[in-house]
Each structure stands twice: as C-alpha cells, then as structure tokens.
Amino acid sequence: DTEVTQTPKHLVMGMTNKKSLKCEQHMGHRAMYWYKQKAKKPPELMFVYSYEKLSINESVPSRFSPECPNSSLLNLHLHALQPEDSALYLCASSHETGGFGTGELFFGEGSRLTVL
Amino acid sequence: GIQVEQSPPDLILQEGANSTLRCNFSDSVNNLQWFHQNPWGQLINLFYIPSGTKQNGRLSATTVATERYSLLYISSSQTTDSGVYFCAVEVPSGTYKYIFGTGTRLKVLA
C-alpha cells in the first residue's frame, strides 16, 4: 500500500486564522516532507523530518510550524499567513537507507490553501 | 546549489506520437525520480532511476549519471498523458534534499 493521505483537500483561511494541515502514511517510512507548490512552478522543499526529528528547514517563515507527533503523522500548523502563501502544499514520505541515499519519494494528493 | 533544468518547457503532441523529455543536472546525484503531475495536482511516480534504463509499458527512462542527464521516453502518447512531467534529484546523497526540475508541460491532442 503506497499511500500518503493529506487532509483537508481544500482550505480557505483568513490572515488572522490558525489552521493545520495533516499528513499520514502507513508504509513504515521514517522520512517525511512538506513541499510548497505555486501555480506553474515546481514543488519547493520546506521541511524534512527524519526519525521524527526536524532535519531540514529551508528558511521557512515562522508562520509555518511543522510537527511530527509520531513516525506516521506529519502536521503543518499555519498562523498569520499572507495571501502570497496561497499554494498547493504537498506531503511526501520515503524510506531512509542508512547513508546510501534516500529512498523513493511518495506524495499525497496535496492540500490546496487559499489565504484571504 | 544544484541546477536541474528540463527541456523542452512545453510540448504539444498529436495522439499516437512519441516524445523524449530531458532532465539535466549540474552536480553528481545519488537518486533521481520522474513524476507526472496530473491536472488535479497529484504527483504520480513514474520511475526511480539513479542510473541505467527502466521500462514500464509505453514509458521508459534512462539516466546517465556520469554525464548528468536523464531522459524520459513516451511512446504512442494518449490524451491522459497530458500534464506536467518533473524530474527530482537528491543532492547531496543521504540528505533527503530532493530538488525538482523546472518541468515539462505536455499537452496531447486527440
């Protein structure tokens, strides 16, 4: 079962709201990722968790706050966002191959966020 | 940082035609994947191909890591092949830092 599940599929929020995006995988992967994709652009890496520890933060503004409660779950907490943060947010997971490179990435369907 | 360029940026084909998409990368890579992003935004895995050649039905891919490029071949294209094709590379090895290429937008006409 190669499935990554993201909720919600669509989210509309105001600039003063607090919301969360959720991601779940049951493939036993120990690396989980958040990517952001603007229209007609490639996905851009935001955060990587490895063994539930944050290993990469690509200088993302603090209004985005990731959390990895356990090896199957990844959250992205959103607060005081700007309209330019409207985008497709993609979650992914992969095996960790012990220093020989990351395994294959598997993506969820994405959460489409609109900030008003 | 590494540059990952794809060509052509846009491609329009008649149904049944063949095409070759190219991914060039500016540094050595340990992993390379090809994805198809459908009109709803989902990224679908096509190939995990750090080196060598793989085939899956009408699609095949070749990565020549020493020359820093990968090719995706689509034969007998169908309208359902429309969408955006991305390659993604992990650099440096073992960092989990997958960087996406610029993408090729493909439209297949009936």
Side-chain angles (χ1 to χ4, degrees):
Chain A
D1 183 14
T2 55
E3 188 172 286
V4 178
T5 303
Q6 290 188 241
T7 55
K9 298 270 189 291
H10 300 274
L11 179 62
V12 179
M13 59 186 290
M15 290 189 284
T16 58
N17 293 156
K18 285 185 182 181
K19 298 285 185 183
S20 296
L21 305 179
K22 297 186 185 299
C23 176
E24 188 169 7
Q25 58 88 14
H26 293 289
M27 295 179 277
H29 291 169
R30 302 311 298 269
M32 296 187 76
Y33 310 71
W34 282 113
Y35 280 82
K36 173 182 177 179
Q37 187 178 23
K38 302 282 278 184
K40 299 190 186 300
K41 296 288 187 184
E44 293 180 349
L45 184 63
M46 299 175 72
F47 301 105
V48 180
Y49 275 82
S50 170
Y51 291 90
E52 296 128 66
K53 288 186 170 27
L54 184 65
S55 60
I56 295 178
N57 177 344
E58 290 287 271
S59 302
V60 179
S62 59
R63 58 185 183 268
F64 295 91
S65 176
E67 178 196 20
C68 190
N70 60 56
S71 60
S72 300
L73 292 174
L74 185 66
N75 298 321
L76 186 62
H77 303 298
L78 314 170
H79 174 54
L81 295 192
Q82 304 297 310
E84 59 264 29
D85 296 321
S86 298
L88 180 67
Y89 288 85
L90 293 158
C91 174
S93 68
S94 71
H95 279 299
E96 195 281 324
T97 58
F100 292 98
T102 308
E104 187 175 358
L105 280 181
F106 293 92
F107 280 87
E109 293 184 6
S111 293
R112 199 166 293 277
L113 173 68
T114 301
V115 182
L116 301 176
Chain B
I2 188 171
Q3 304 298 311
V4 187
E5 299 287 334
Q6 291 183 239
S7 59
D10 296 281
L11 187 58
I12 300 175
L13 298 174
Q14 208 63 39
E15 200 168 25
N18 302 330
S19 61
T20 300
L21 280 56
R22 188 177 179 101
C23 171
N24 290 333
F25 38 95
S26 60
D27 203 347
S28 300
V29 300
N30 198 65
N31 284 313
L32 186 145
Q33 282 189 244
W34 282 97
F35 296 92
H36 174 214
Q37 189 165 40
N38 65 23
W40 298 271
Q42 180 158 22
L43 284 162
I44 298 162
N45 290 34
L46 298 178
F47 295 101
Y48 175 66
I49 185 166
S51 63
T53 297
K54 291 186 177 179
Q55 179 151 10
N56 184 2
R58 296 182 297 104
L59 302 182
S60 64
T62 295
T63 296
V64 184
T66 52
E67 297 187 22
R68 300 182 183 172
Y69 72 89
S70 183
L71 302 173
L72 177 69
Y73 306 96
I74 305 174
S75 64
S76 304
S77 57
Q78 301 174 357
T79 56
T80 52
D81 294 332
S82 297
V84 185
Y85 289 80
F86 289 107
C87 63
V89 300
E90 185 200 14
V91 175
S93 171
T95 62
Y96 308 103
K97 196 164 181 174
Y98 264 98
I99 303 301
F100 277 73
T102 49
T104 292
R105 189 171 300 273
L106 174 64
K107 189 174 178 68
V108 181
L109 304 175

